[in-house]
Amino acid sequence: MADGFLTRLREGLFKSRQNLSGMVDDAVADHRAVDEDFFDSLMDALILSDMGSACAEEALTRLRAKVKAEGVKETARCRAMLQEILTDMLDVEKMPLKWPMVILMVGVNGVGKTTTIGKLALRFQGLGRTIMLCAADTFRAAAADQLAIWAERAKVPLVRHQEGADPAGVVFDAVQAAKARHADLLIVDTAGRLHNKKNLMDEMEKMRRVIDREYPDATVRCLLVVDATTGQNGLQQAKAFSEVAGVNGIVLTKLDGTAKGGVIFPIIRELKVPVMYVGVGEGIDDLQSFNAKEYVAALFD
Ligand code: GDP
């Protein structure tokens, strides 16, 4: 499992490595002394990897303190120290799995929400769990159609209503079906219309109320899907969704398609929630559990 994870992540982050790893290597090679000039070069490398200035500053402040405390004189030693600091910054404890569970998937259209739902359904099915899907994005008929394709592929039941139906109504039916079938996991696809925040917030609250009332035994989680290729936009989306939906975990998709892997740092810093999974391709197997150490190792390899 760990081997597969590392290989895929490394393949996915290949372009990121050319940036962060290559630039850190250059900084180390170009500087003999651990001085301000060296730290400036590291700062550039971190910022160019989409980490944002606040996270880059934090990483360097910690590095400076460590360098001072340990009396480090060689720039080469700073590479491993930086790697350790970045790992620590991403290491937020994951939530335990607790069945039965309802996962509300949120995120703007196009980030890979539906694909991730399909991958998750297959993943948990492979672990012997019974899964149901719910198409609560009733705004776009295409969204439910796409979800239906994944449901068929994963051979899991899907609850859907017609276009324009009340999302909370679909959730109500899906919850009844999940209880009747003793499903372990119900994954709910929600609308990604961030431009109408008030509507989206009302819609999310209504769905939550239905789940809390009809399914009090269930653990409810809200996972935000973020497209790694959107850079700092991903951070803006994360902030907005955490305001409307009470996000408690992140899925970072399309790491195979980005030259940078740093946007995850400001998102974690801002939301203070763990990254649960990463998407490294369009295939059904291309979803991996997130591991901070392996992620940063892949960035630095
Ligand atoms: P949604 O609108 O958020 O539901 O997004 P979709 O699930 O429809 O995905 C949008 C596009 O992104 C599709 O073409 C997917 O195949 C693609 N996609 C999703 N996840 C990944 C990933 O991890 N890597 C790559 N390369 N593409 C992905």
Side-chain angles (χ1 to χ4, degrees):
M1 163 68 197
D3 279 357
F5 176 88
L6 276 180
T7 311
R8 276 173 189 277
L9 199 57
R10 279 183 184 134
E11 281 164 10
L13 285 169
F14 179 62
K15 295 172 203 146
S16 311
R17 282 209 310 282
Q18 284 178 335
N19 270 346
L20 186 59
S21 175
M23 287 187 67
V24 170
D25 283 345
D26 287 348
V28 167
D30 293 348
H31 296 84
R32 280 174 172 270
V34 181
D35 54 14
E36 276 314 300
D37 212 33
F38 172 61
F39 286 129
D40 280 350
S41 304
L42 291 181
M43 182 80 176
D44 290 345
L46 295 180
I47 286 187
L48 279 169
S49 77
D50 260 350
M51 202 175 287
S53 52
C55 284
E57 289 275 10
E58 182 186 330
L60 284 188
T61 302
R62 288 170 67 170
L63 181 63
R64 278 195 183 90
K66 238 176 143 137
V67 160
K68 199 171 166 197
E70 297 178 23
V72 174
K73 300 270 185 287
E74 313 83 44
T75 53
R77 265 186 72 195
C78 292
R79 192 183 200 279
M81 291 168 106
L82 184 61
Q83 188 169 341
E84 213 172 277
I85 289 164
L86 295 182
T87 303
D88 189 57
M89 285 168 73
L90 290 184
D91 204 7
V92 180
E93 196 182 343
K94 283 190 191 171
M95 306 158 280
L97 296 172
K98 202 161 161 277
W99 316 103
M101 186 158 60
V102 179
I103 299 180
L104 294 162
M105 299 292 287
V106 301
V108 297
N109 295 328
V111 291
K113 205 159 27 117
T114 317
T115 310
T116 301
I117 292 172
K119 290 172 177 174
L120 277 175
L122 261 165
R123 178 190 185 92
F124 284 113
Q125 207 175 40
L127 295 172
R129 295 289 160 185
T130 42
I131 320 292
M132 286 196 64
L133 303 184
C134 169
D137 180 359
T138 56
F139 194 69
R140 298 180 307 149
D145 290 344
Q146 217 201 336
L147 198 60
I149 295 171
W150 280 103
E152 215 162 276
R153 237 180 251 174
K155 298 192 173 45
V156 296
L158 166 71
V159 175
R160 64 183 291 188
H161 286 183
Q162 75 276 34
E163 191 176 348
D166 179 9
V170 197
V171 169
F172 180 91
D173 282 357
V175 163
Q176 305 311 329
K179 287 195 293 190
R181 288 168 185 256
H182 302 289
D184 296 307
L185 175 62
L186 172 65
I187 311 178
V188 181
D189 185 23
T190 69
R193 284 166 292 135
L194 248 196
H195 55 271
N196 198 334
K197 254 169 123 173
K198 174 81 178 73
N199 275 5
L200 191 58
M201 192 185 289
D202 290 347
E203 205 169 289
M204 293 301 304
E205 276 173 8
K206 205 167 156 195
M207 282 191 262
R208 286 246 186 194
R209 274 202 303 276
V210 166
I211 299 166
D212 289 345
R213 188 184 65 220
E214 301 297 323
Y215 209 2
D217 298 343
T219 307
V220 186
R221 300 264 163 80
C222 179
L223 291 188
L224 171 69
V225 184
V226 179
D227 177 342
T229 66
T230 58
Q232 294 293 311
N233 247 336
L235 174 62
Q236 299 312 322
Q237 288 167 19
K239 282 184 189 169
F241 271 105
S242 72
E243 283 165 23
V244 301
V247 172
N248 33 33
I250 306 283
V251 180
L252 192 68
T253 60
K254 309 191 194 180
L255 276 170
D256 52 311
T258 176
K260 304 156 183 196
V263 70
I264 201 168
F265 288 87
I267 292 176
I268 287 187
R269 183 188 159 100
E270 182 75 28
L271 268 59
K272 298 185 175 58
V273 298
V275 178
M276 301 298 289
Y277 306 99
V278 293
V280 290
E282 293 182 274
I284 200 120
D285 299 324
D286 295 331
L287 186 81
Q288 307 286 334
S289 277
F290 178 76
N291 175 306
K293 198 169 173 189
E294 288 172 349
Y295 187 84
V296 177
L299 280 175
F300 269 76
D301 196 18

